[in-house]
PDB file of all heavy atoms in Angstrom:
ATOM      1  N   GLU A 148     190.243  41.917  91.249  1.00  0.00           N
ATOM      2  CA  GLU A 148     190.166  40.479  90.994  1.00  0.00           C
ATOM      3  C   GLU A 148     188.767  40.089  90.525  1.00  0.00           C
ATOM      4  O   GLU A 148     188.610  39.252  89.635  1.00  0.00           O
ATOM      5  CB  GLU A 148     190.545  39.679  92.232  1.00  0.00           C
ATOM      6  CG  GLU A 148     190.558  38.183  91.956  1.00  0.00           C
ATOM      7  CD  GLU A 148     191.163  37.360  93.069  1.00  0.00           C
ATOM      8  OE1 GLU A 148     191.199  37.845  94.220  1.00  0.00           O
ATOM      9  OE2 GLU A 148     191.583  36.224  92.801  1.00  0.00           O
ATOM     10  N   GLU A 149     187.737  40.689  91.113  1.00  0.00           N
ATOM     11  CA  GLU A 149     186.375  40.415  90.655  1.00  0.00           C
ATOM     12  C   GLU A 149     186.214  40.817  89.189  1.00  0.00           C
ATOM     13  O   GLU A 149     185.573  40.106  88.407  1.00  0.00           O
ATOM     14  CB  GLU A 149     185.365  41.158  91.527  1.00  0.00           C
ATOM     15  CG  GLU A 149     185.185  40.550  92.909  1.00  0.00           C
ATOM     16  CD  GLU A 149     184.030  41.165  93.673  1.00  0.00           C
ATOM     17  OE1 GLU A 149     183.314  42.008  93.088  1.00  0.00           O
ATOM     18  OE2 GLU A 149     183.850  40.813  94.846  1.00  0.00           O
ATOM     19  N   ALA A 150     186.783  41.956  88.827  1.00  0.00           N
ATOM     20  CA  ALA A 150     186.709  42.391  87.429  1.00  0.00           C
ATOM     21  C   ALA A 150     187.449  41.413  86.521  1.00  0.00           C
ATOM     22  O   ALA A 150     186.975  41.091  85.423  1.00  0.00           O
ATOM     23  CB  ALA A 150     187.289  43.799  87.296  1.00  0.00           C
ATOM     24  N   CYS A 151     188.594  40.922  86.986  1.00  0.00           N
ATOM     25  CA  CYS A 151     189.368  39.978  86.169  1.00  0.00           C
ATOM     26  C   CYS A 151     188.623  38.661  85.974  1.00  0.00           C
ATOM     27  O   CYS A 151     188.796  37.992  84.951  1.00  0.00           O
ATOM     28  CB  CYS A 151     190.731  39.723  86.809  1.00  0.00           C
ATOM     29  SG  CYS A 151     191.881  41.108  86.630  1.00  0.00           S
ATOM     30  N   ALA A 152     187.797  38.279  86.949  1.00  0.00           N
ATOM     31  CA  ALA A 152     187.011  37.050  86.784  1.00  0.00           C
ATOM     32  C   ALA A 152     186.084  37.158  85.579  1.00  0.00           C
ATOM     33  O   ALA A 152     185.778  36.161  84.923  1.00  0.00           O
ATOM     34  CB  ALA A 152     186.203  36.777  88.054  1.00  0.00           C
ATOM     35  N   MET A 153     185.652  38.388  85.268  1.00  0.00           N
ATOM     36  CA  MET A 153     184.795  38.591  84.095  1.00  0.00           C
ATOM     37  C   MET A 153     185.549  38.335  82.785  1.00  0.00           C
ATOM     38  O   MET A 153     184.942  38.118  81.739  1.00  0.00           O
ATOM     39  CB  MET A 153     184.227  40.013  84.093  1.00  0.00           C
ATOM     40  CG  MET A 153     183.332  40.360  85.270  1.00  0.00           C
ATOM     41  SD  MET A 153     181.836  39.343  85.364  1.00  0.00           S
ATOM     42  CE  MET A 153     182.297  38.165  86.638  1.00  0.00           C
ATOM     43  N   ALA A 154     186.886  38.371  82.866  1.00  0.00           N
ATOM     44  CA  ALA A 154     187.687  38.120  81.663  1.00  0.00           C
ATOM     45  C   ALA A 154     187.772  36.631  81.324  1.00  0.00           C
ATOM     46  O   ALA A 154     188.305  36.264  80.281  1.00  0.00           O
ATOM     47  CB  ALA A 154     189.094  38.689  81.844  1.00  0.00           C
ATOM     48  N   SER A 155     187.246  35.775  82.200  1.00  0.00           N
ATOM     49  CA  SER A 155     187.231  34.345  81.907  1.00  0.00           C
ATOM     50  C   SER A 155     186.271  34.002  80.777  1.00  0.00           C
ATOM     51  O   SER A 155     186.568  33.165  79.932  1.00  0.00           O
ATOM     52  CB  SER A 155     186.805  33.546  83.149  1.00  0.00           C
ATOM     53  OG  SER A 155     187.840  33.398  84.054  1.00  0.00           O
ATOM     54  N   ASP A 156     185.084  34.636  80.800  1.00  0.00           N
ATOM     55  CA  ASP A 156     184.035  34.216  79.870  1.00  0.00           C
ATOM     56  C   ASP A 156     183.163  35.382  79.419  1.00  0.00           C
ATOM     57  O   ASP A 156     182.970  35.595  78.224  1.00  0.00           O
ATOM     58  CB  ASP A 156     183.167  33.144  80.536  1.00  0.00           C
ATOM     59  CG  ASP A 156     182.145  32.529  79.578  1.00  0.00           C
ATOM     60  OD1 ASP A 156     182.134  32.883  78.387  1.00  0.00           O
ATOM     61  OD2 ASP A 156     181.357  31.678  80.026  1.00  0.00           O
ATOM     62  N   VAL A 157     182.630  36.163  80.353  1.00  0.00           N
ATOM     63  CA  VAL A 157     181.622  37.170  80.010  1.00  0.00           C
ATOM     64  C   VAL A 157     182.146  38.173  78.986  1.00  0.00           C
ATOM     65  O   VAL A 157     181.525  38.385  77.928  1.00  0.00           O
ATOM     66  CB  VAL A 157     181.134  37.911  81.276  1.00  0.00           C
ATOM     67  CG1 VAL A 157     180.179  39.034  80.900  1.00  0.00           C
ATOM     68  CG2 VAL A 157     180.439  36.939  82.221  1.00  0.00           C
ATOM     69  N   LEU A 158     183.280  38.792  79.263  1.00  0.00           N
ATOM     70  CA  LEU A 158     183.800  39.798  78.332  1.00  0.00           C
ATOM     71  C   LEU A 158     184.289  39.190  77.017  1.00  0.00           C
ATOM     72  O   LEU A 158     183.987  39.726  75.944  1.00  0.00           O
ATOM     73  CB  LEU A 158     184.899  40.622  79.000  1.00  0.00           C
ATOM     74  CG  LEU A 158     184.396  41.678  79.989  1.00  0.00           C
ATOM     75  CD1 LEU A 158     185.565  42.350  80.695  1.00  0.00           C
ATOM     76  CD2 LEU A 158     183.538  42.725  79.291  1.00  0.00           C
TER      77      LEU A 158
END
Side-chain angles (χ1 to χ4, degrees):
E148 184 170 22
E149 286 189 5
C151 286
M153 298 298 101
S155 281
D156 187 3
V157 175
L158 283 175

